[in-house]
Structure formats: structure tokens, C-alpha cells
Amino acid sequence: MADTPKDIEELIGIMARLPGLGPRSARRAVLTLIKKRGALMRPLAETMARVAETARECVNCGNIGTDDLCGICADQRRATGELCVVEDVADLWAMERGGAFKGRYHVLGGTLSALDDVGPEDLRIPRLKGRMADEGITEVILALNATVDGQTTAHYIADELAGAGVSLTSLAQGVPIGGELDFLDDGTISAALRARKAL
């Protein structure tokens, strides 16, 4: 816009590139930050500058932390022999919010995709294979998304780990708690039916 200062327009443009924010949402967010400069904008800018300097990928699992080893990999209590494989860090954080898993993780950094030209060499699959013996892994839990690419990746990993002496499992799929059948898609209902269990 002609009447918006260049610096502010640039900030709006950068914010609009964030997931979940379009140009209008970014404009509203920037206006709020400017109006609450002391309470929001300055602390945000300082925190972002600090995180830009200190954030790094864990050399072991791919999680985000501030040291070479993330807190999960450094915690010996998490060395349970269970390794949960996820597509990205957001999935790891979602699993941690649930608080049910007490083992360690392995972040692939994506999924295999012929359309996007992502092959096994583009993911952390070789590192995953190396961790089997290094960490005494007994079970690998494939917690990949129930998409075509996610399931293709899960099958590829299962083939790669065949004969490694580990138990391979995947997350259950189907009807969510509180879900009503009428609102579920056909694929979810089919997965739930296939994964049925005795009461």
C-alpha cells in the first residue's frame, strides 16, 4: 500500500509467509504489535533474536533445542529401547504434549515423495538405521501421518529395518475419542474397522 511505510510493509510481507497467516491476518498482527510495542513487539523481537542465535537441530534425533543434543536424547531415563519415528518436529512436540511416550524420537525431516522428488537420501533414514545398534533399540514405533506419502515411507522403513532384530509397530488409526461415525471420512472408518479389537 502506498501510505504504509516500507519497513512496516516489509514486516507484513514476512509475517504473511508464516503458516496460517495470510496478508490480512499478517496486517492485523503487525498493527497489534505496533500498538503494543512495549508489551509485545520488543520482547518478541528480543526473543526471536536470541532463538535465531541459539536454536539448533539435535545431532542425534533432529529435534530442535539449544545444545547439540536435545533434552530428550540427553535424558538417560528416556533410553527405554523404544524409538518413535515422526515426520517432523511438530509431530514430536505433539507426541510430547500427550505425555504418554517415555522413550526417544527420530525426526525424518519429511516423507518420501516422488512428486516432490524426495528420496530416502533426503531423509534421516541412514541415521535411523545407525541408531538401532548404537542405542540398543528394541522397538521402533512408526508414528507417520496416515497419508499416501506417510504410509509409503513407513513401508520403506519397515523394509530397511527388516532383520535388524527390532519390533516394528505403528500408531493405531481409526475413530477418535469423542468422534461420531457420521462425521468421519470413509478412510478413517475403514482403518478403524481393520484395527478393531476384542472387548
Side-chain angles (χ1 to χ4, degrees), residues 152-165:
T152 300
T153 306
H155 288 297
Y156 179 84
I157 291 171
D159 289 344
E160 287 293 299
L161 297 182

Side-chain angles (χ1 to χ4, degrees), residues 23 34 37-38 56 61 73 78 116 124 135 139 149 152 161 172 181 192:
I34 291 170
R37 193 170 315 184
R56 61 186 64 160
C61 74
C73 287
R78 305 287 300 242
D116 296 324
R124 290 189 189 91
E135 298 180 35
E139 180 183 5
D149 289 343
T152 300
L161 297 182
L181 291 179

Side-chain angles (χ1 to χ4, degrees), residues 141-157:
I141 303 162
L142 298 175
L144 304 178
N145 292 325
T147 61
V148 172
D149 289 343
Q151 296 311 297
T152 300
T153 306
H155 288 297
Y156 179 84
I157 291 171

Side-chain angles (χ1 to χ4, degrees), residues 163-188:
V166 297
S167 169
L168 281 170
T169 59
S170 65
L171 295 183
Q173 298 171 354
V175 180
I177 294 173
E180 296 180 29
L181 291 179
D182 190 39
F183 292 104
L184 300 178
D185 63 274
D186 297 344
T188 301

Side-chain angles (χ1 to χ4, degrees), residues 19 23 27 43 62-63 65 77 85 95 101 105 114 123-124 147 152 166:
R27 188 169 302 282
N63 189 13
R77 293 171 300 179
V85 178
M95 293 287 291
F101 182 66
Y105 294 92
L123 304 177
R124 290 189 189 91
T147 61
T152 300
V166 297

